[in-house]
Amino acid sequence: MHPVRKQRLWVVLSIVLFSSAAVGLAAYALRGNINLFYPPVEVAAGKAPVDTPIRVGGMVVEGSVQRSDSTLETRFAVTDYQATVTVVYEGILPDLFAEGEGVVASGRLNADGVLNAEEVLAKHDENYMPPEVAEALKNSATAGVSQ
């Protein structure tokens, strides 16, 4: 092989090798920060991973909000009208949090199917619905019609 071609081959192989290593390291670093969305029906079906950061969204079930008398813990249920997931959150809820309104809760699902939320997001105006929640409710309504 001609020495110039051999040198080019090593340069190309080096670029491919270091690029692959960089992509692999970036994917490894991001794996702990991936936070996937699951509607309540998928959580109830067991498709959501346990003890892994996930987001669950839907509507807060009317009459399900229970606040602790001594702590900031709040327990409520989120539904997509096909299934319900219990969410436990300790902290100050957003001002717009209310029963019958859309929310997205981020946290870890335990073995009992309860989401221990680290963050609760509520809608910020009357017309806004988080895209994941809107799609989950739309899919739920479509599945409900076909059953």
Side-chain angles (χ1 to χ4, degrees), residues 32-117:
N33 295 328
I34 294 174
N35 197 353
L36 299 176
F37 178 82
Y38 291 91
V41 69
E42 289 185 9
V43 174
K47 295 180 180 176
V50 174
D51 202 29
T52 300
I54 63 169
R55 293 183 298 144
V56 174
M59 307 299 283
V60 178
V61 176
E62 299 275 345
S64 68
V65 178
Q66 300 170 349
R67 298 178 194 270
S68 172
D69 294 333
S70 58
T71 65
L72 292 175
E73 182 178 295
T74 304
R75 177 180 291 262
F76 57 95
V78 175
T79 185
D80 60 356
Y81 304 116
Q82 286 190 338
T84 302
V85 173
T86 301
V87 177
V88 176
Y89 176 70
E90 186 159 344
I92 298 173
L93 289 167
D95 291 338
L96 298 175
F97 176 86
E99 295 178 353
E101 300 293 336
V103 295
V104 174
S106 301
R108 294 176 185 265
L109 191 67
N110 67 19
D112 297 332
V114 176
L115 181 75
N116 294 313

Side-chain angles (χ1 to χ4, degrees), residues 124-143:
H124 67 275
D125 70 18
E126 294 183 16
N127 298 323
Y128 178 75
M129 175 76 66
E132 298 96 347
V133 173
E135 185 176 331
L137 292 175
K138 180 180 171 186
N139 292 340
S140 175
T142 304

